Amino acid sequence: MTWTGGLPLGLFKSVCTFTLTPRGGMTHLRVREEFTGLLLGPMWGSVPDMERSFAAYVSAVKKRAELLGR
C-alpha cells in the first residue's frame, strides 16, 4: 500500500509505502517514508518525525494480527 502527498509540479513529494513480506511462517511489515522535490531542503525542518508514530502503528498491527491468529 502506498500513500502519496505533496505539492504541485513535484516541488515536494512524500511517499509512504507499507510492504508485507512472508518470513519463516510469519509476516514482516515494513513502513518506509521517502521525500523528494526541489523544496525538500527548505521544507525539511517542517516535516514531522514520524518514526515514533510508525513504531506505534506497527506494534498495534502486530497485536491485532496476533489476536486474530489465535
Side-chain angles (χ1 to χ4, degrees), residues 9-66:
L9 306 174
L11 294 174
F12 180 79
K13 185 177 180 181
S14 170
V15 178
C16 184
T17 305
F18 301 82
T19 307
L20 298 172
T21 308
R23 282 199 183 161
M26 300 175 73
T27 302
H28 177 77
L29 169 60
R30 179 177 184 222
V31 181
R32 180 168 187 235
E33 194 165 29
E34 191 173 3
F35 302 98
T36 58
L38 293 173
L39 294 178
L40 177 59
M43 292 188 69
W44 187 250
S46 65
V47 174
D49 182 0
M50 299 298 292
E51 186 173 343
R52 193 175 281 167
S53 295
F54 285 140
Y57 171 79
V58 169
S59 178
V61 169
K62 180 180 186 290
K63 287 179 186 176
R64 181 69 175 165
E66 288 170 345

